[in-house]
Amino acid sequence: MPFARKLIALASGAIVALSASFISASQAQQPGAVRNPETLVIDDATFEFIQKSDVSPLTEGVIDKLELEIGKTVQKDGVIGTLHSKKAELIVKKAQTAAASIGAQRKAEAQRYQAMTVVERNRRLLKSNPTYVSR
């Protein structure tokens, strides 16, 4: 008798699972069905370019002033526009600070001094007993 109960439970579970999957599939095919607001389905879409450019900037940045008008030609090495100078100023200031900073040099000197003290301490320990320091 317990085997029959297990078989009935298994069959009813399979029926419930299959019916749930068929119901969800049929709801997805209905055009008036409520869909998940996070899902956006686009069947046929086109897009157009607002502006097409065949030039690339020498550096990236935010445009400050655009000196080119629509249809106007530019001479070779001519200026099309200028970028905000704030980023360039910050880069220069950072480089000047790094060049004037002696923190890295002092850190290297401290590390060298510490390594020399460790070597000297190991030499003294080896003189007193060779088993004090591993090789």
Side-chain angles (χ1 to χ4, degrees):
M1 198 66 162
F3 179 73
R5 287 184 181 170
K6 290 181 183 178
L7 185 62
I8 291 171
L10 180 65
S12 63
I15 290 171
V16 168
L18 287 174
S19 63
S21 67
F22 284 127
I23 289 171
S24 66
S26 66
Q27 286 179 350
Q29 292 176 355
Q30 294 176 355
V34 177
R35 294 188 178 151
N36 186 359
E38 294 177 5
T39 305
L40 176 63
V41 179
I42 300 175
D43 293 334
D44 186 24
T46 59
F47 65 93
E48 296 179 16
F49 291 103
I50 295 174
Q51 180 180 10
K52 183 178 177 185
S53 174
D54 292 332
V55 296
S56 60
L58 297 175
T59 61
E60 62 181 43
V62 179
I63 296 176
D64 182 30
K65 192 175 10 172
L66 190 62
E67 299 178 7
L68 184 66
E69 296 175 10
I70 297 175
K72 185 178 177 185
T73 59
V74 179
Q75 300 295 327
K76 183 178 179 182
D77 296 329
V79 177
I80 296 174
T82 57
L83 301 176
H84 279 287
S85 61
K86 186 69 174 174
K87 184 177 179 182
E89 291 170 2
L90 291 174
I91 291 172
V92 169
K93 188 173 183 180
K94 182 179 176 182
Q96 288 173 344
T97 304
S101 177
I102 57 172
Q105 182 181 0
R106 288 188 179 172
K107 180 180 178 183
E109 290 172 357
Q111 288 174 342
R112 181 177 177 268
Y113 178 75
Q114 180 186 13
M116 289 175 59
T117 56
V118 169
V119 168
E120 191 57 38
R121 184 187 69 214
N122 288 342
R123 281 186 189 158
R124 285 194 310 261
L125 288 172
L126 282 173
K127 281 184 183 178
S128 63
N129 189 346
T131 59
Y132 285 164
V133 179
S134 63
R135 293 183 186 232

